[in-house]
Structures are given as structure tokens and as C-alpha cells.
């Protein structure tokens, strides 16, 4: 038993460490945006924060599709069926391209109406619209990249994903500095420089995926997979992945709606929240890493039809989750003096007051996020159960948190910090139902098929 226990922790840490590096680099890019835009001004920080809500929604879409891919591919990988994995990749790519092309066209041609959803400040609308136009290129590339990397992660090729992400994120940070400040003879573009840096790095990352695919023996990035038809696997993908997609869209759009609420409460609230989001992203890298790695590993174990071993692995994963939540809160708390000192030269006194208390709220809020993410996006989906999370988050966020936020802000006109506190109760409200579902064991299912048929 001790050998099995040690083996599980050893395997999960081999997956967690590369994923943590990816998450850390992703958070570093967001941090670099805010750090460098500080020298442009508070309005630039606020505009990018609001415009980035669309990227957050798109991330939720790709994360949902990616975890749907992982649900099927990790289990088929445990079963040793690589052909099914390629078919699933093609199915997922069709969905991701639909969303990425739609978002890219909207950002390119109607960015002003997109910004008006978040704010009525003319300056923020103008700045955000210019940012979105340039960023539209990255949306198209992102849809292809995320699905291919999700497939690679599901077959435990996380090191390759880390190399590609490291290259893209490092390039993004470097180009941020070049285009924002006009280094090496480049034009000084300010807020548009952030968007240009992101789009350029996405194009390079896509080229990197093509190169990796050329040298891969089993998992290729091929356009031909888009046209492969298989009714059985398509139905499985729709049945299992679309609830995960719906779950993440519901979650992502709700968080963007939080930004809408805060966005209409003034520039000071928006600027403070922009910095808080960066710090919170740093604090949650551990819990998201454990959720992703645990989902891959447990899915593989289930695909091998070792259900009791998978259940035992889930218990060990939850222990790591609790630790990650506490660690995340400590990171936020320890970062506060540095963040407040850094922001004091740019933010107004009112924004600084909001920033201080919003950070304190997040020291415990991350624990709620950690537990729910590991269970809903990690353990439940590893066992093919994506429906529960979709229903749970829909009720919690759209029947509780979002209405509560709107009523508090615009009906009772409560102070900004009270509204923010109420919005941050969403994770804890669903704990009783999420934990109860975990203990029931209903999430544990082998979703692979012995004979899924020939391509149609």
C-alpha cells in the first residue's frame, strides 16, 4: 500500500511540476502587462483589464473543451487506443475553431460595442477597442493551440507543452517591453503594444506546435482530422465534453459579469480589481495545476479499469488540494506589501483602499476555489462526470452570485467593497453539494468503449 501511495504522489508531481511552470508563466505574462502598463497610466490598466474579459471567456471555452478532450483521451490512453485520441482531437478542433473565429471577427470589426458592455467611460472604450482589434489575431491561433496541447497533456507529454508555453510566454513578456516602451528602435505603442506582443507570441507558438507535430510519431496536428467523422465518438464527446464546455462558459461569463458590475462602479474599482486578478492568478497556480494533473492521472487509471485505485488517488489528490489552497492564501498575504507599495505611485487613494481589502478577501477565497476546481474540473471530469459541475455552477453563479451582485450594486447601491465581498461568497455556497457528490462516488465511471467503430 505504501508503494502504491508513493507511486501516486510521484506520478502526480511529475505532471504537476510542468503544469505549474506553465501556469506560473501565464500569470507572469498578466503581471508583466500590468507592471509595464503602470508607466502608461491607470486608464490603460483599466482598459486592458476590461477588454481581457473576452479572453477570459474564450479561455473558459478552450479550458472546457480541453478538459473534455482530457476526459476521453486520458482514458483511451490508459486503454492504449491512440486512433480514438486522434478522432477526438478532430472533433474538439471543430468546436474550438467555431468559437475562436467568431471571437476573432467580433474583436476585429465590432470592438467598441464589445467594450460598451463593460463600461460607459469613453476613454476606456477607445483604448480597449484598439487593444481588441490587434488581439483578434491571437484568438484564431489560440483555438488550435489549446486543443493540440490538451491532447499532448492527456497522454502525459506535459514537458513538450511546457517548452512551447515557456517559449511563447517568454516572447510575450519580451515583446511587451519592446512595443510598450519602444525598445531597439521599435515604435512606442503603449496599450496596443501589449496586444501586438500577445498576437505575435501566439503565432510563434502555433508554429512551434506544427514543428512538434512533424516529429511526433502518434499525435499529429493535421487539418484532415477536422473532417474525420465517427458517430459514436462524436456522441460521446457531445455527451461528456459539452457539459464541461457549458460549465466553463457559465463560470467564465459569470466572472466577466462580475467585472461588468465592478466596471460600472468606477475607474478606481476597475483598476484595483485588475491588480487583484493578477495576484489571485499567482495564488491559484497550485490548485489549478493539481486539478489538471490529477484529472489526467486519475483518468488514465480509470481507463485501465482500476476503479478502486482511482478512488484512492482522488483522496490523496484532495489532501494536496487543501494544502494548495492554504499556500495560495499565504502567497496573496505575503505579496500584499509589495503590491501596495508598487501600486501607490499610480493608483488613487480610493483605488488603493479597495486594493488592500480586495487582496485580504482573496487570502481565504482561494481555498474555496481550490476545493471546487479540483473536484469539479479535476476528479469529477476524470470519471466522465461533467454534468454535475455544469448544473452546480449554473445555479450557484447565475441564480445566486450574479443576481446578488447586481442587486447589491445597483438596487441597494452598497459600497464597492461590500459588493466585492458578496461576489466572493460564490465558491463557499456550493461546497456542501460538491463535497457530498464527491463522497457519493457517482462520478467514477469508465467511459471508454471496446468497439467505437470505423470512421464514417
Amino acid at each position: 500500500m505504501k508503494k502504491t501511495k508513493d507511486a501516486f504522489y510521484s506520478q502526480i508531481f511529475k505532471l504537476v511540476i510542468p503544469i505549474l511552470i506553465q501556469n506560473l508563466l501565464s500569470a507572469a505574462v498578466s503581471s508583466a502587462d500590468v507592471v509595464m502598463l503602470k508607466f502608461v497610466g491607470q486608464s490603460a490598466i483599466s482598459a486592458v483589464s476590461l477588454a481581457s474579459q473576452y479572453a477570459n471567456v474564450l479561455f473558459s471555452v478552450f479550458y472546457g473543451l480541453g478538459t473534455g478532450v482530457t476526459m476521453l483521451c486520458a482514458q483511451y490512453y490508459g486503454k492504449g487506443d491512440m486512433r480514438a485520441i486522434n478522432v477526438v482531437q478532430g472533433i474538439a478542433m471543430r468546436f474550438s475553431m467555431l468559437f475562436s473565429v467568431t471571437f476573432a471577427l467580433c474583436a476585429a470589426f465590432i470592438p467598441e460595442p464589445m467594450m460598451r458592455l463593460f463600461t460607459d467611460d469613453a476613454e476606456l472604450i477607445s483604448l480597449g477597442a484598439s487593444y481588441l482589434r490587434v488581439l483578434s489575431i491571437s484568438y484564431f491561433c489560440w483555438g488550435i493551440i489549446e486543443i493540440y496541447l490538451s491532447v499532448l497533456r492527456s497522454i502525459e507529454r506535459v514537458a513538450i507543452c511546457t517548452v512551447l508555453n515557456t517559449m511563447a510566454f517568454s516572447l510575450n513578456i519580451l515583446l511587451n517591453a519592446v512595443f510598450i516602451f519602444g525598445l531597439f528602435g521599435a515604435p512606442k505603442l503603449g496599450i496596443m503594444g501589449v496586444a501586438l506582443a500577445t498576437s505575435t507570441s501566439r503565432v510563434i507558438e502555433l508554429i512551434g506546435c506544427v514543428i512538434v507535430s512533424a516529429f511526433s510519431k502518434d499525435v499529429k496536428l493535421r487539418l484532415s482530422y477536422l473532417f474525420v467523422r465517427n458517430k459514436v465518438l462524436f456522441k460521446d464527446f457531445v455527451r461528456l465534453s459539452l457539459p464541461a464546455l457549458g460549465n466553463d462558459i457559465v463560470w467564465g461569463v459569470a466572472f466577466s459579469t462580475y467585472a461588468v458590475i465592478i466596471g460600472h462602479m468606477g475607474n478606481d474599482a476597475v483598476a484595483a480589481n485588475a491588480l487583484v486578478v493578477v495576484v489571485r492568478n499567482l495564488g491559484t497556480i497550485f490548485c489549478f495545476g493539481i486539478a489538471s494533473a490529477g484529472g489526467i492521472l486519475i483518468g488514465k487509471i480509470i481507463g485501465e479499469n482500476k476503479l478502486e485505485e482511482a478512488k484512492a488517488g482522488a483522496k490523496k489528490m484532495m489532501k494536496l488540494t487543501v494544502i494548495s489552497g492554504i499556500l495560495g492564501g499565504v502567497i496573496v498575504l505575503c505579496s500584499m506589501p509589495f503590491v501596495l507599495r508598487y501600486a501607490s505611485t499610480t493608483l488613487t487613494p480610493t483605488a488603493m483602499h479597495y486594493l488592500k481589502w480586495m487582496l485580504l478577501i482573496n487570502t481565504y477565497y482561494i481555498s474555496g476555489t481550490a476545493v471546487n476546481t479540483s473536484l469539479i474540473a479535476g476528479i469529477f471530469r476524470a470519471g466522465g462526470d461533467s454534468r454535475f459541475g455544469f448544473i452546480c455552477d449554473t445555479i450557484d453563479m447565475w441564480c445566486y452570485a450574479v443576481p446578488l451582485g447586481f442587486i447589491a450594486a445597483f438596487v441597494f447601491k452598497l459600497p464597492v467593497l461590500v459588493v466585492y465581498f458578496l461576489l466572493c461568497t460564490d465558491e463557499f455556497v456550493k461546497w456542501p453539494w460538491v463535497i457530498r457528490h464527491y463522497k457519493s462516488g457517482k462520478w467514477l465511471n469508465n467511459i471508454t468503449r471496446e468497439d467505437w467503430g470505423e470512421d464514417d
Side-chain angles (χ1 to χ4, degrees), residues 63-109:
Y63 188 80
L65 287 172
T67 53
V69 167
T70 300
M71 270 194 291
L72 283 162
C73 291
Q75 290 203 18
Y76 275 112
Y77 178 60
K79 194 176 180 179
D81 191 341
M82 299 303 295
R83 186 164 151 266
I85 291 173
N86 289 329
V87 175
V88 170
Q89 178 189 333
I91 295 168
M93 199 73 76
R94 292 201 290 272
F95 283 100
S96 73
M97 291 299 293
L98 174 65
F99 283 100
S100 60
V101 170
T102 301
F103 271 68
L105 291 175
C106 289
F109 297 108

Side-chain angles (χ1 to χ4, degrees), residues 168-234:
F169 292 147
S170 300
L171 181 62
N172 195 340
I173 294 172
L174 174 64
L175 293 179
N176 268 345
V178 170
F179 292 132
I180 290 174
F181 303 118
L183 304 179
F184 309 116
K188 202 170 183 179
L189 300 176
I191 191 172
M192 289 182 64
V194 176
L196 183 57
T198 301
S199 292
T200 303
S201 63
R202 287 291 181 196
V203 171
I204 299 299
E205 188 174 15
L206 180 57
I207 293 171
C209 289
V210 172
I211 294 172
V212 168
S213 170
F215 290 94
S216 177
K217 294 181 180 179
D218 39 30
V219 178
K220 299 283 188 179
L221 180 58
R222 289 177 176 166
L223 288 177
S224 59
Y225 291 156
L226 287 168
F227 306 103
V228 174
R229 297 289 186 269
N230 184 276
K231 292 180 180 178
V232 174
L233 288 181
F234 182 81

Side-chain angles (χ1 to χ4, degrees), residues 352-364:
M352 287 295 297
H353 176 67
Y354 293 158
L355 176 61
K356 175 185 175 182
W357 287 100
M358 285 177 175
L359 286 170
L360 284 172
I361 289 170
N362 276 275
T363 58
Y364 66 82

Side-chain angles (χ1 to χ4, degrees), residues 65-355:
L65 287 172
T67 53
V69 167
T70 300
M71 270 194 291
L72 283 162
C73 291
Q75 290 203 18
Y76 275 112
Y77 178 60
K79 194 176 180 179
D81 191 341
M82 299 303 295
R83 186 164 151 266
I85 291 173
N86 289 329
V87 175
V88 170
Q89 178 189 333
I91 295 168
M93 199 73 76
R94 292 201 290 272
F95 283 100
S96 73
M97 291 299 293
L98 174 65
F99 283 100
S100 60
V101 170
T102 301
F103 271 68
L105 291 175
C106 289
F109 297 108
I110 55 169
E112 287 86 1
M114 291 172 73
M115 286 300 299
R116 286 193 191 99
L117 289 176
F118 290 98
T119 182
D120 51 10
D121 188 307
E123 183 185 10
L124 297 187
I125 291 171
S126 177
L127 288 170
S130 65
Y131 174 84
L132 284 170
R133 281 194 186 94
V134 180
L135 199 66
S136 61
I137 300 168
S138 73
Y139 291 162
F140 176 78
C141 299
W142 200 7
I144 300 171
I145 293 166
E146 283 303 312
I147 297 303
Y148 186 60
L149 294 187
S150 294
V151 174
L152 290 177
R153 290 188 195 101
S154 70
I155 61 171
E156 299 182 311
R157 306 277 174 83
V158 289
I160 296 173
C161 300
T162 302
V163 171
L164 289 172
N165 284 153
T166 301
M167 174 189 69
F169 292 147
S170 300
L171 181 62
N172 195 340
I173 294 172
L174 174 64
L175 293 179
N176 268 345
V178 170
F179 292 132
I180 290 174
F181 303 118
L183 304 179
F184 309 116
K188 202 170 183 179
L189 300 176
I191 191 172
M192 289 182 64
V194 176
L196 183 57
T198 301
S199 292
T200 303
S201 63
R202 287 291 181 196
V203 171
I204 299 299
E205 188 174 15
L206 180 57
I207 293 171
C209 289
V210 172
I211 294 172
V212 168
S213 170
F215 290 94
S216 177
K217 294 181 180 179
D218 39 30
V219 178
K220 299 283 188 179
L221 180 58
R222 289 177 176 166
L223 288 177
S224 59
Y225 291 156
L226 287 168
F227 306 103
V228 174
R229 297 289 186 269
N230 184 276
K231 292 180 180 178
V232 174
L233 288 181
F234 182 81
K235 287 179 180 178
D236 282 348
F237 186 84
V238 170
R239 177 174 57 86
L240 298 168
S241 299
L242 290 195
L245 171 61
N247 187 179
D248 289 316
I249 290 176
V250 161
W251 189 84
V253 173
F255 257 89
S256 294
T257 305
Y258 295 176
V260 170
I261 295 169
I262 294 171
H264 285 83
M265 298 186 78
N267 198 334
D268 289 326
V270 173
N273 188 51
L275 288 170
V276 170
V277 168
V278 171
V279 178
R280 183 171 62 217
N281 287 344
L282 289 170
T284 56
I285 59 172
F286 294 100
C287 64
F288 278 105
I290 289 170
S292 297
I296 292 167
L297 182 55
I298 292 172
K300 179 188 173 186
I301 295 170
I302 294 172
E304 295 169 349
N305 214 31
K306 300 175 181 177
L307 301 187
E308 288 302 315
E309 187 176 325
K311 189 183 293 185
K315 290 181 180 178
K316 295 160 195 165
M317 180 177 160
M318 284 308 300
K319 292 178 183 177
L320 295 175
T321 296
V322 172
I323 295 171
S324 74
I326 296 171
L327 183 59
V330 171
I331 289 172
V332 173
L333 189 62
C334 292
S335 69
M336 280 185 62
F338 304 100
V339 175
L340 293 172
R341 189 180 306 121
Y342 164 80
S344 62
T345 58
T346 303
L347 269 58
T348 66
T350 301
M352 287 295 297
H353 176 67
Y354 293 158
L355 176 61

Side-chain angles (χ1 to χ4, degrees), residues 243-244 246-252 254-255 258 372-373 375-377 381 386-402 426-427 429-431 433-434:
N247 187 179
D248 289 316
I249 290 176
V250 161
W251 189 84
F255 257 89
Y258 295 176
N372 290 322
T373 300
L375 286 172
I376 294 174
R381 292 184 187 180
S386 55
R387 186 169 172 268
F388 175 84
F390 176 52
I391 295 171
C392 182
D393 277 335
T394 300
I395 295 172
D396 174 58
M397 304 194 86
W398 290 99
C399 296
Y400 169 74
V402 170
D426 62 338
E427 295 288 357
V429 167
K430 59 188 176 186
W431 263 16
W433 289 272
V434 173

